Structure formats: structure tokens, C-alpha cells
Amino acid sequence: MSSSEIITAKNLTKIYGNITAVDGISFSIFRGECYGFLGPNGAGKTTTIKMVHCFSPLTSGELVVGGMNVNKDQRKIKEIIGVVPQEENLDPDLSVFKNLTVYARYFNAPRKEAEKRAVELLDFIHLKDRMNSRIKDISGGMKKRLLIARSLMNNPKVLILDEPTTGLDPQARHLIWQRLRLLKKAGMTMILTTHYMEEASQLCDRVAIMDRGKILLEGEPKKLVADEIGTEVIEMRLDDENQDAELLMANLEQFKKFKFTYERVGDTIYIFSNNGRELLHSIVDIKHTHLLHRPATLEDLFLKLTGRGLRE
Amino acid sequence: MYLFGMGIGIGGYLQAIEGVSYIEFIAPGIIMVPAMYSASFECTFGSFTRMTEQKTYDGILATPLSVGDLVMGEILWGATKSLISGSIMLFIIYLAGLMKSSILMVIPLLILVFLIGFLFASLAMIATALSPSYDFFNYFFTLILTPMFFFSGIFFPLSNFPAWVKIVSNLMPLTHAVNISRYFLSNVNYSHILSSTLVLIACTIIFSFLGVSLIKKRIIK
Ligand SMILES: Nc1ncnc2c1ncn2[C@@H]1O[C@H](COP(=O)(O)OP(=O)(O)OP(=O)(O)O)[C@@H](O)[C@H]1O
Ligand SMILES: [Mg+2]
């Protein structure tokens, strides 16, 4: 294990009854990086993360966090980890402020220190003016922000975020992104799961795309997209789903010299290439209704890799 | 409270039992009732809500605490609630002049109340670990706690009952607690103080270990 690795998993497997939720995955996460797990519902992201923070015991494989084995040093590992769970679990009987200070007690933090830190963190996530509110009186976005503040109460070395912005409005989402980027600048290692490809592109140094318990692809988002599908996408929206498509695709074959790949999904043909402009010039002549030329995104890659059911 | 009222009410119609007035007879057991029920309510309905709806356990288990720490915390909290309600009951009984022993006996009585709280909190955690839904607790209360309430010698002496009832009764932890309480509160002679105390302690230890392991089995997957 290299000294800059903070989390190392080898052949990590988790089986629930007859469901293999995580199927022998291996990955390494380095100090100070933000590592994202992407994948459709049920891919095994949450399960992987739960093994990292010692909630779920491994079925098999090896998992080392901060140099410690998750099967043995659970208490010590949990001391250096902060967790933002997928499902909100704040204490509804306590105020916003008390939720933080009581949580700190579980880490044996001295009261005075915890109170000071709670105020700082509430300020950090813009919740200071709601510190005496009851949990049931604050919005979903505020709850997520509070969960982030709570996860930072123990000054963790690794922050685990399971869908930190799911269900939030754009304002709240952008605020959270900003805060997470600040944390990253300060050297925090982060593990993130998300369904928003933009979020992964904005925050993650590296991502792993998972499906059915396996990692399909891992790497830097930009590089992955460029390597796997090219830099640009042309979307052709069809009027008539059936007839047009066959003809169009046959027509596309004549531009083979531009080197591109294409895929048809329902009423749209996606053309992936590294030289969209020239290709576009050539195909404007083909009869069609809408053309959209845009940079390729992680979402294109994601759908290509995991959207099997829709393709072909 | 209504128990106390009932005691006074019914007591008026009843003859003295074992040489004391009815209300005096039931006073030692009456202290044990809130001790049993407070912990039982807290660690069934309260704990189940925290475990399922509020997901508090998931949050706590993300901190250095283990399932063992968590369940012990729940049990101690249940026992504390018992201590509070049991103390109030004891105070009322004292004010009503029903305490026949020295005031110093308050100390063993409160320890007993806490022990009973601990025991029933542990038993309740077992129910919580096994419970699929809130309905399950109805069975727990009617099939386990209510029989103890009636057959542990709080309201009538067991001496008049058939032998099998006595045997069953002696299997109930509450019976032992009532006997001990009678000894300390009313100076009633009871020769099995030590063994009864050991029974209560043994039950508490077994129930709490079982509670921890069943909760672990339920939430750690
Ligand atoms: N406690 C459990 N018992 C049984 N099966 C489970 C349990 N938790 C998860 N699973 C199963 O394991 C698989 C992976 O679930 P997981 O929650 O890790 O997916 P996910 O990638 O986080 O999905 P989502 O995007 O919906 O949050 C699913 O098939 C799920 O049904
Ligand atoms: Mg999930």
C-alpha cells in the first residue's frame, strides 16, 4: 500500500441472502482526493460505502481504511470518518444546534469545544440563524446541510457523502458544491455517490462507474469521456421514429472518414466524435428536424455504459 | 395513579390481608408497577421508533459507538425513566404513611426500582429486536407484562392459589421484586432476599446480552 492511499479495497464483496450487492470490486482512494461512485439504482454504491464506514461487515475481500482493517479497528476507523447518509437520520426531538452537540458527545468531544465547533459549522453551511429550530420545521435542503455539518463535527479525515444533493433545489445544490470544494481545498478526502453527472464532474477527481455490483470503468471524468466516446456529441431528433431513422443511419455511413460512432435511442440519434464541427457541416444536408451540437459529458458515457436495457 | 385510587377504593370493601389493610398490602408492589411499565414503554415504542422511523441507530453507529454501547444506552435510559416514575410512586407512598420501615430503606428500594427498570428495559429491547411492527408490542404487553402485573403477588397473596400458579409466579421476575419490596417497605419477613436478588440480577444480565445480540442481528446486515 502506498502511503498516500487512505482507502484500499481488494475483491470487496457483499452478499445479502441471494443478492450480490457488491461483486468483488477493487479500488484505491488517495489522500485529499474526491472519489465518486456513480451507478444506477441498486448498483451497490451505498453498500460499498457502508462497508467503508464499518456499518456492514464484508462477506469477503479486504478493506483497509487509514491503515486499519475494517474487520478489527472499527472504533478507530469511525473516529476518522464523517458520514452523510442517503437517508436523513437527524434526531427530531432535538434542535438544530443540539443535533450537532449531542452527536459530538458520541465522539467524546468536550462540551465547550463541541459547542464552539457547532456554531462554526452552522455558519459554514449557512444555518446559524436556524440553530434553535426544531428538525421538523426545517426544509429538506436545510436537513442535508445540517447532515453535512454533523458529519464534520469530529474533524474527520475522510468524508463520506451518499447522495448529498438528491432532491435539493439548484440553490441548495450549488451552495453544497461550494462548501465541498472548500473542504477539498483544505485537504479533505471525500467519497461521494451521486446520480447527478454534473455533480460528479464538478467535484470528483476520479469516478468509478458501477453497475450490478461491479466497477465498469474508473478514472478522471474528462479523460474517461474523451477516451470512451470522444469530446463532442451531435444529437439528431427525429420526427418520425420508425422510417426516418433507418434512412438517416444509412446516410451517415457515407461520412465514415470523420471517424465517429453513433447510437439510436428512441427518437434520437447520438453521434459521438472528436471533430463534431466538420461532421456537422456535412450532415446538415441530410433531412432532419433538430440538430444539437454540444460537448460530450459524463452523462453520455454513463448512459452508454449502464443503459443497456434501452440500447440496440 | 389510578392503581392507587383503585387500591383505596377496593381496599374499602376488602378485609385486611395478612394482618394489614389492603392499601398497605399492595403498596410495595405498586412501586414496582411504574418501574416495570416506564422502561417497557420506553424501550419498545420509543426504541422501535428510533430504530426504524427516525433511523437514529444508523446515525449513532456511524460514530465510534458499537451496537453494544447503543443498546446499553437505550437500556440505561429506560431504567432511568423507571427510576424517576418509581421514585415518584415511592414518595407518594411515603407521604401516605404507608412506609412502615426506616426511611433509610428508601435506598435499597430505589436500587430495586432501578434494577427492575434495567431488567424490563432489556426485556423490551428483545421485543423491539423481534418486532415487525408496532402491533407486536400489543402482544408483548398483554401476553407477558399483564400476567406479571396480576400474578406477581401485588394485588393478592399467592398463598391461596394452586401450586402451579405459584410455580409460574415464581418464574416471573416481578414476583421476586414485589417480595423484596415488601421486605424493605413493610418489614414483611422474607427469607429469600438473597436468592431473589440473584434471580433479578441473572435475568437482567441474560436479557441485556440477548437484547444486544438480537438488535445487532436485526440492524447489521
Ligand atoms: N439490507 C439489505 N438487505 C438485502 N438487500 C439489500 C440490503 N441493502 C441493499 N440491498 C440490495 O443490494 C443492492 C445494492 O443496493 P445499494 O443500496 O447498495 O444500491 P445503490 O447503488 O446505493 O442504489 P441507489 O442509487 O438506489 O441508492 C440492491 O439490489 C439492494 O436491493
Ligand atoms: Mg444508495
Side-chain angles (χ1 to χ4, degrees), chain A residues 14 16 53-57 74-75 78-79 81 83 87-93 103 106-107 150, chain B residues 49-50 52-70 219-221:
Chain A
K14 178 79 198 184
Y16 295 112
H53 71 79
C54 305
F55 185 86
S56 284
Q74 310 188 338
R75 233 177 253 267
K78 291 197 281 184
E79 263 165 29
I81 289 184
V83 181
E87 290 174 84
E88 177 259 314
N89 58 18
L90 297 161
D91 191 331
D93 302 330
Y103 204 70
Y106 299 138
F107 287 91
R150 193 183 70 176
Chain B
T49 304
R50 286 189 283 277
T52 56
E53 273 163 49
Q54 302 180 354
K55 307 214 180 322
T56 314
Y57 289 7
D58 296 355
I60 290 177
L61 291 175
T63 74
L65 299 191
S66 66
V67 178
D69 302 332
L70 170 84
I219 56 180
I220 301 292
K221 283 189 182 144

Side-chain angles (χ1 to χ4, degrees), chain A residues 24-256:
Chain A
I25 64 174
S26 300
F27 59 88
S28 299
I29 298 176
F30 301 104
R31 264 171 232 281
E33 89 171 325
C34 178
Y35 191 92
F37 284 103
L38 308 178
N41 293 130
K45 306 179 295 293
T46 300
T47 307
T48 303
I49 274 184
K50 279 185 174 168
M51 289 190 277
V52 173
H53 71 79
C54 305
F55 185 86
S56 284
L58 321 188
T59 304
S60 67
E62 225 177 272
L63 182 55
V64 176
V65 178
M68 297 172 277
N69 190 317
V70 290
N71 295 323
K72 284 189 303 217
D73 297 311
Q74 310 188 338
R75 233 177 253 267
K76 280 197 190 132
I77 291 175
K78 291 197 281 184
E79 263 165 29
I80 62 159
I81 289 184
V83 181
V84 176
Q86 182 169 357
E87 290 174 84
E88 177 259 314
N89 58 18
L90 297 161
D91 191 331
D93 302 330
L94 302 176
S95 69
V96 165
F97 183 67
K98 275 275 172 198
N99 255 283
L100 298 184
T101 52
V102 168
Y103 204 70
R105 289 295 308 142
Y106 299 138
F107 287 91
N108 254 328
R111 175 123 138 220
K112 278 269 165 328
E113 222 168 85
E115 285 175 356
K116 189 165 150 262
R117 181 137 183 89
V119 173
E120 282 167 14
L121 286 171
L122 286 175
D123 200 28
F124 180 67
I125 45 125
H126 293 205
L127 269 183
K128 209 167 164 186
D129 47 338
R130 300 303 297 268
M131 69 188 251
N132 295 315
S133 301
R134 297 258 132 199
I135 297 303
K136 66 171 166 36
D137 299 331
I138 65 174
S139 73
M142 292 176 184
K143 283 181 191 163
K144 277 276 173 173
R145 271 142 67 196
L146 183 56
L147 284 169
I148 292 176
R150 193 183 70 176
S151 72
L152 294 168
M153 282 300 289
N154 61 322
N155 277 309
K157 290 198 170 73
V158 179
L159 185 59
I160 293 181
L161 303 131
D162 200 352
E163 301 192 17
T165 63
T166 298
L168 302 191
D169 65 20
Q171 285 84 352
R173 176 170 305 150
H174 280 269
L175 175 73
I176 288 182
W177 288 350
Q178 274 162 16
R179 301 291 109 170
L180 294 181
R181 276 194 293 260
L182 277 181
L183 288 171
K184 207 178 111 187
K185 268 202 193 116
M188 179 76 78
T189 307
M190 292 193 270
I191 307 177
L192 174 97
T193 80
T194 181
H195 289 296
Y196 301 111
M197 298 304 132
E198 196 201 340
E199 181 162 294
S201 312
Q202 289 239 5
L203 298 172
C204 298
D205 302 306
R206 287 191 303 146
V207 295
I209 299 181
M210 288 186 79
D211 200 6
R212 298 162 208 231
K214 288 202 154 69
I215 294 181
L216 304 178
L217 208 60
E218 184 203 46
E220 290 169 42
K222 271 216 183 85
K223 193 160 177 304
L224 282 181
V225 175
D227 290 354
E228 298 293 319
I229 58 173
T231 52
E232 294 163 55
V233 178
I234 298 168
E235 288 184 23
M236 303 174 80
R237 191 78 24 95
L238 312 171
D239 283 334
D240 179 336
E241 270 217 12
N242 305 317
Q243 290 164 346
D244 270 350
E246 300 302 322
L247 197 67
L248 270 172
M249 290 196 283
N251 274 330
L252 281 175
E253 294 296 331
Q254 60 183 300
F255 305 114
K256 267 285 183 237

